[in-house]
């Protein structure tokens, strides 16, 4: 039975999954693991070791903070530390030389902070004067990025060069993820088990889910892995109800072009940074991520939205805002279920507290986007009173 033959089935829920889903299913799919595996401490030629060796020189350069054009060793060591990729060298610096950097491996958040920096935006507009100025007021992250930029590209088109480097990073990530799936056969079983749980959550009330049937669903996947292909590779039949009616890998799959980018919500349309937003990059790579029939993933028949494994960070707020707008979240009967897993029993309280905080931030921001500050403050409270906001452990 093909996807096209399922047209008479209406989805009842929308599953939204992030990298936590793949991690839960046994893949080493985080950016942290990718960077460590591809560019870790195991070979003498990788940027990690070389940046460590150059650490004293970098520290001296950071403390001096003279103009970048005056750095004598720029042409000598930049090609060495960035021999693989500018973005990797920059992330490696965050990891290796800045122990206080929080969430260095949250690549898109780090990119957002960097690319929306006023000084960086000026450079992306080819303002060469920036390199002559004293940059003591800029963070180490920004300064090091500008050093890499100038050292690698000279005074050529920085945006074009950065986009090419980003494409190289994306391609490398896809090769890594393909190998992860290929080498991890238990992944397919874990996918089946997880989908079973997520398609039953909330329909059993306070009772167990064993007797409940999976609800037909659409899938919005923020990962690069293709769930339907994984289910087929695991020999899970279509009649099991575990296949999405419609799915979309919003940022591409391991078999297509991937997209790494920043959220477009607060990026002005005339900014040089707009070229690195997910919206712009998706337009550049139209039609990626579709599987099966091309149809609207936001079906009006959906009455439950289940989130699992997504950080709910600002990087993807534009997507969530669009979904909530489509379903008129404030005044509708749509139920939101935020599912979570406890990967370490010793920090279960912290896991739940972090999830609660992220939900609160998401709903508060969305409520305020409605143009009514009161909605921003009371949306979460309203959902709880109406029993439309649930936290479920899986």
């Amino acid at each position: 039975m093909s996807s096209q033959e399922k047209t008479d089935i209406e989805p009842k829920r929308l599953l939204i999954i992030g990298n936590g889903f793949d991690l839960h299913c046994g893949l080493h799919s985080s950016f942290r693991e990718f960077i460590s595996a591809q560019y870790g401490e195991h070979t003498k030629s990788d940027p990690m070791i070389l940046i460590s060796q150059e650490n004293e020189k970098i520290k001296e350069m950071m403390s001096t903070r003279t103009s970048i054009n005056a750095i004598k060793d720029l042409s000598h060591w930049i090609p060495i530390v960035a021999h693989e990729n500018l973005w990797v060298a920059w992330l490696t610096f965050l990891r290796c030389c800045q122990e206080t950097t929080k969430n260095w491996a949250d690549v898109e958040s780090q990119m957002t902070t960097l690319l929306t920096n006023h000084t960086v935006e000026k450079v992306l507009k080819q303002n060469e004067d920036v390199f002559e100025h004293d940059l003591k007021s800029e963070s180490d992250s920004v300064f090091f990025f500008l050093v890499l930029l100038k050292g690698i590209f000279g005074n050529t088109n920085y945006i074009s060069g950065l986009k090419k480097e980003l494409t190289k990073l994306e391609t490398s990530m896809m090769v890594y993820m393909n190998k992860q799936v290929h080498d991890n056969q238990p992944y397919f079983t874990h996918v089946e088990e997880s989908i079973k749980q997520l398609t039953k959550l909330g329909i059993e009330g306070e009772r167990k889910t064993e007797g409940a049937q999976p609800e037909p669903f659409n899938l919005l996947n923020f990962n690069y892995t293709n769930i339907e292909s994984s289910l087929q590779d695991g020999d899970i039949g279509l009649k099991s109800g575990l296949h999405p009616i419609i799915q979309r890998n919003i940022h591409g799959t391991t078999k297509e072009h991937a997209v790494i980018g920043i959220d477009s919500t607060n990026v002005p349309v005339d900014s040089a940074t707009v070229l690195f937003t997910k919206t712009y990059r998706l337009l550049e790579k139209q039609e990626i991520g579709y599987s099966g029939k091309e149809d609207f993933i936001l079906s009006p028949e959906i009455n439950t939205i289940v989130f699992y494994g997504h950080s709910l960070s600002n990087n993807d707020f534009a997507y969530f805002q669009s979904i909530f707008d489509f379903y008129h979240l404030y005044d509708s009967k749509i139920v939101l279920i935020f599912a979570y897993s406890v990967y370490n029993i010793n920090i279960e309280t912290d896991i739940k507290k972090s999830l609660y905080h992220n939900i609160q931030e998401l709903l508060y921001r969305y409520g305020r986007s409605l143009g009514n500050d009161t909605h921003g403050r009371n949306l979460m409270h309203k959902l709880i009173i109406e029993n439309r906001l649930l936290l479920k452990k899986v």
Side-chain angles (χ1 to χ4, degrees), residues 116-375:
T116 54
N117 173 275
H118 181 64
T119 300
V120 172
E121 285 199 83
K122 288 170 67 175
V123 171
L124 294 182
K125 292 180 178 179
Q126 298 297 132
N127 186 335
E128 295 293 317
D129 291 340
V130 172
F131 297 114
E132 291 288 356
H133 295 159
D134 187 321
L135 295 168
K136 285 187 173 66
S137 62
E138 294 297 340
S139 67
D140 286 354
S141 169
V142 168
F143 185 74
F144 185 69
F145 177 79
L146 294 177
V147 168
L148 289 173
L149 200 66
K150 186 66 173 177
I152 294 172
F153 299 120
N155 60 354
T156 57
N157 189 310
Y158 299 119
I159 289 180
S160 176
L162 279 177
K163 288 183 69 178
K164 288 179 181 177
E165 292 289 280
L166 188 56
T167 298
K168 285 165 56 179
L169 178 62
E170 291 165 342
T171 301
S172 183
M173 182 74 179
M174 292 308 94
V175 172
Y176 171 78
M177 286 301 302
N178 264 320
K179 188 174 187 304
Q180 276 291 306
V181 174
H182 181 268
D183 293 347
N184 195 336
Q185 289 303 307
Y187 172 71
F188 305 121
T189 301
H190 295 319
V191 167
E192 177 191 0
E193 293 170 348
S194 297
I195 293 294
K196 276 183 181 178
Q197 289 181 297
L198 296 175
T199 52
K200 295 178 181 181
L201 283 180
I203 61 177
E204 80 288 359
E206 298 300 320
R207 301 183 181 278
K208 296 182 179 180
T209 62
E210 281 79 356
Q213 293 298 311
E215 283 193 330
F217 67 100
N218 288 349
L219 177 70
L220 184 60
N221 192 344
F222 282 81
N223 302 324
Y224 304 122
T225 45
N226 186 305
I227 296 302
E228 187 165 20
S229 294
S230 297
L231 290 168
Q232 289 169 347
D233 290 342
D235 295 324
I236 308 302
L238 289 170
K239 292 182 180 179
S240 66
L242 298 180
H243 283 262
I245 297 172
I246 301 169
Q247 74 161 326
R248 185 173 186 190
N249 285 65
I250 191 66
H251 296 148
T253 72
T254 54
K255 297 180 180 179
E256 299 160 333
H257 292 293
V259 168
I260 298 173
I262 66 176
D263 184 70
S264 61
T265 308
N266 296 317
V267 178
V269 293
D270 60 346
S271 169
T273 304
V274 77
L275 301 181
F276 296 92
T277 62
K278 292 177 182 177
T279 303
Y280 185 89
R281 304 206 71 230
L282 286 168
L283 285 174
E284 281 188 312
K285 301 176 179 181
Q286 286 187 15
E287 297 181 358
I288 69 166
Y290 281 97
S291 178
K293 62 180 182 179
E294 295 184 2
D295 205 342
F296 293 111
I297 194 167
L298 301 182
S299 167
E301 304 300 322
I302 287 171
N303 51 47
T304 304
I305 302 175
V306 181
F307 297 82
Y308 181 65
H310 198 292
S311 66
L312 309 179
S313 69
N314 288 335
N315 299 324
D316 295 315
F317 177 74
Y319 297 123
F320 299 139
Q321 184 179 27
S322 299
I323 293 168
F324 293 162
D325 281 349
F326 180 87
Y327 289 109
H328 305 287
L329 179 61
Y330 193 87
D331 295 314
S332 72
K333 295 182 179 180
I334 283 285
V335 174
L336 304 183
I337 300 178
F338 293 89
Y340 69 96
S341 296
V342 177
Y343 51 87
N344 184 339
I345 192 65
N346 296 319
I347 58 172
E348 180 172 359
T349 300
D350 293 333
I351 292 172
K352 292 172 69 175
K353 185 185 298 183
S354 176
L355 175 61
Y356 176 84
H357 173 76
N358 293 342
I359 294 170
Q360 188 175 40
E361 287 287 320
L362 171 64
L363 294 178
Y364 177 70
R365 185 177 180 188
Y366 175 68
R368 293 195 65 186
S369 75
L370 297 175
N372 186 324
D373 193 57
T374 301
H375 285 181

